Amino acid sequence: MNALLKKILSQITDAGFEAYLIGGYPRDFYLGLETHDYDIATSATPDQLKTIFPHADMTDQKYGRITLQESNFIIEITTYRKESDYIDFRYPKNIYFVETLEQDLERRDFVINTLCMDQEGNFVDLLDARKDIDAKLIRAVGNAEQKIGEDALRILRAIRFSAVLDFELDSELFSALQKYKKNLLKISYQRKKEELDKILIHEKGISLLKEFAEELEISGLDQVNIQTSLTGIWAQLSCSSHYEFSKQQKKEIKIIKELLECDILDPVILYQYGHYYCGIVAEIKGISREVILKMYKELPIHHRNEIAITSKEISQMVPKEQIDTVYQDLELSILKGNLENIKIFIKKHIMNGRKK
């Protein structure tokens, strides 16, 4: 167990309260996976936690949760609680603090996420989470229909865990996902995209999403070629305009869509777009990135400033307003192998062009 996490757990237990790591960290630790998911469940209330951690972020105190930022760690500490009367298929209307860890576990989504660890690194497994982890099976805690009916985001969370961990979905859980899939339309596009970004990079995730494509307002999943670039995957899809992308993502998706209609093995295309974007499209088209990189390195020029003549020299041969046109002609001629990148030949080429 990480020393910082052990210290935080000990600070809570030394103050007379129970505290356990829960969810992603114990699950991934048990699986031997690296994790950055740090959640602690405790019998201490937010007010009591504030006395232990005066520097804590109390923004979510009303939900029974505080947040600690220590070095590069962000740790959420939540009081044992139960929830009821969900609003908009997502948020609990009522939250009640409870006394025991087992009561807290009953509110959680999937059994694999109920495994806990104490400050000594011992597993605390009240709902047999390790049995499901060993079986590579995702089951709901309690009644599957109730859990999915309460919170529609759990549909995507179930798919994400199945895709990322390569676990199977329990038949009752999958039936519940299908029954309540229309509720996905009620979830914010931001939250849906956060989950989809983690799902779409896995072949299994894309396969599972096909069942929910209409409700997610996404098409093209049947034709997606999995590759390393997330924007490369989004560029192959059509989706609702309500999904928000950053300025950089929009730029990349636009470029990739353009390149999908081009011959990326054309040296002119490779020169104009560069090996990064052409490499992404290469993966989509089943071409090795190494092939693209090798071709790029072998281009006679990679930038206009590599042409063996300066703009000042060109300006002595043609009117100033024609310099850019001359450069474009030189680029194409050199890239197509019709002109050697040698000054004497370039000047001759320019002069011959002026005579036409």
Side-chain angles (χ1 to χ4, degrees):
M1 179 190 296
N2 178 276
L4 175 61
L5 298 175
K6 183 174 182 178
K7 175 185 175 183
I8 292 171
L9 288 171
S10 296
Q11 285 177 278
I12 300 172
T13 56
D14 288 348
F17 306 103
E18 294 180 5
Y20 302 94
L21 280 163
I22 189 166
Y25 187 94
R27 181 198 67 226
D28 292 344
F29 189 92
Y30 182 72
L31 285 167
L33 302 175
E34 183 179 354
T35 184
H36 302 286
D37 190 357
Y38 309 118
D39 291 294
I40 292 175
T42 179
S43 59
T45 66
D47 286 337
Q48 291 167 330
L49 289 169
K50 181 66 175 177
T51 64
I52 304 171
F53 307 106
H55 61 293
D57 180 349
M58 305 297 288
T59 303
D60 295 326
Q61 180 176 1
K62 64 180 179 180
Y63 302 112
R65 181 170 58 244
I66 71 166
T67 303
L68 293 180
Q69 185 161 355
E70 302 281 354
S71 301
N72 294 324
F73 291 79
I74 297 177
I75 303 125
E76 292 189 347
I77 307 176
T78 307
T79 304
Y80 296 160
R81 70 187 194 194
K82 66 177 181 178
E83 304 164 344
S84 65
D85 302 325
Y86 280 67
I87 303 170
D88 297 329
F89 308 102
R90 180 72 186 97
Y91 302 103
K93 181 179 179 180
N94 300 308
I95 295 174
Y96 309 95
F97 294 154
V98 293
E99 295 182 356
T100 68
L101 174 63
E102 187 166 12
Q103 289 174 293
D104 181 76
L105 295 179
E106 290 171 357
R107 73 174 174 86
R108 297 182 179 269
D109 50 9
F110 310 117
V111 175
I112 63 168
N113 294 332
T114 65
L115 185 61
C116 303
M117 290 177 72
D118 65 18
Q119 69 265 34
E120 301 303 325
N122 301 310
F123 288 113
V124 177
D125 190 3
L126 303 181
L127 300 186
D128 288 332
R130 284 174 293 183
K131 182 177 179 180
D132 281 10
I133 295 171
D134 290 339
K136 296 188 174 184
L137 183 67
I138 301 173
R139 292 186 302 124
V141 175
N143 184 281
E145 288 196 6
Q146 178 185 340
K147 283 296 161 89
I148 303 305
E150 289 173 344
D151 183 353
L153 192 66
R154 287 172 177 162
I155 297 173
L156 293 180
R157 283 174 56 81
I159 293 172
R160 168 162 61 88
F161 289 128
S162 178
V164 173
L165 298 174
D166 193 22
F167 282 16
E168 296 303 313
L169 296 169
D170 168 70
S171 59
E172 289 185 13
L173 175 58
F174 189 70
S175 293
L177 303 187
Q178 291 175 306
K179 180 175 180 178
Y180 290 103
K181 62 183 181 179
K182 290 291 185 185
N183 291 350
L184 285 168
L185 292 165
K186 309 290 185 180
I187 303 300
S188 77
Y189 288 90
Q190 179 184 348
R191 291 309 306 273
K192 285 187 284 196
K193 186 175 180 296
E194 287 172 0
E195 293 293 333
L196 289 169
D197 282 348
K198 300 170 186 175
I199 294 168
L200 287 170
I201 57 176
H202 299 277
E203 185 174 352
K204 185 171 189 174
I206 289 178
S207 179
L208 288 169
L209 285 176
K210 292 175 185 178
E211 175 71 26
F212 308 90
E214 181 179 349
E215 291 74 23
L216 289 167
E217 300 169 273
I218 293 175
S219 60
L221 289 166
D222 286 328
Q223 290 78 42
V224 168
N225 287 323
I226 300 293
Q227 39 93 54
T228 54
S229 166
L230 178 60
T231 49
I233 295 173
W234 277 110
Q236 297 174 69
L237 301 172
S238 296
C239 64
S240 168
S241 60
H242 294 294
Y243 283 104
E244 294 186 1
F245 297 87
S246 69
K247 187 176 181 180
Q248 180 64 25
Q249 286 175 322
K250 289 178 181 177
K251 174 189 172 183
E252 292 195 2
I253 289 171
K254 180 178 181 292
I255 291 173
I256 293 166
K257 284 182 178 290
E258 289 175 2
L259 275 172
L260 285 169
E261 306 300 320
C262 298
D263 176 8
I264 57 171
L265 299 180
D266 183 332
V268 176
I269 295 296
L270 188 52
Y271 171 81
Q272 290 174 338
Y273 286 91
H275 67 83
Y276 172 72
Y277 290 114
C278 287
I280 292 173
V281 175
E283 283 192 332
I284 295 172
K285 294 186 173 185
I287 302 170
S288 168
R289 276 188 184 238
E290 285 70 26
V291 169
I292 297 298
L293 184 57
K294 182 174 183 293
M295 287 184 62
Y296 182 77
K297 288 179 178 179
E298 292 174 352
L299 291 177
I301 55 173
H302 303 89
H303 192 274
R304 183 171 287 186
N305 62 16
E306 294 180 2
I307 297 176
I309 192 169
T310 67
S311 58
K312 182 177 180 180
E313 290 171 314
I314 295 174
S315 69
Q316 295 170 353
M317 303 173 68
V318 301
K320 187 175 181 180
E321 62 270 14
Q322 294 182 17
I323 292 177
D324 188 60
T325 302
V326 170
Y327 262 127
Q328 291 177 29
D329 173 62
L330 292 176
E331 287 173 320
L332 291 175
S333 298
I334 293 170
L335 289 164
K336 289 181 177 181
N338 299 326
L339 175 64
E340 286 191 74
N341 189 25
I342 299 173
K343 185 176 292 188
I344 188 171
F345 296 136
I346 292 172
K347 285 187 173 183
K348 184 177 179 180
H349 178 84
I350 296 172
M351 292 305 296
N352 288 339
R354 290 192 66 191
K355 293 176 183 178
K356 293 180 181 179

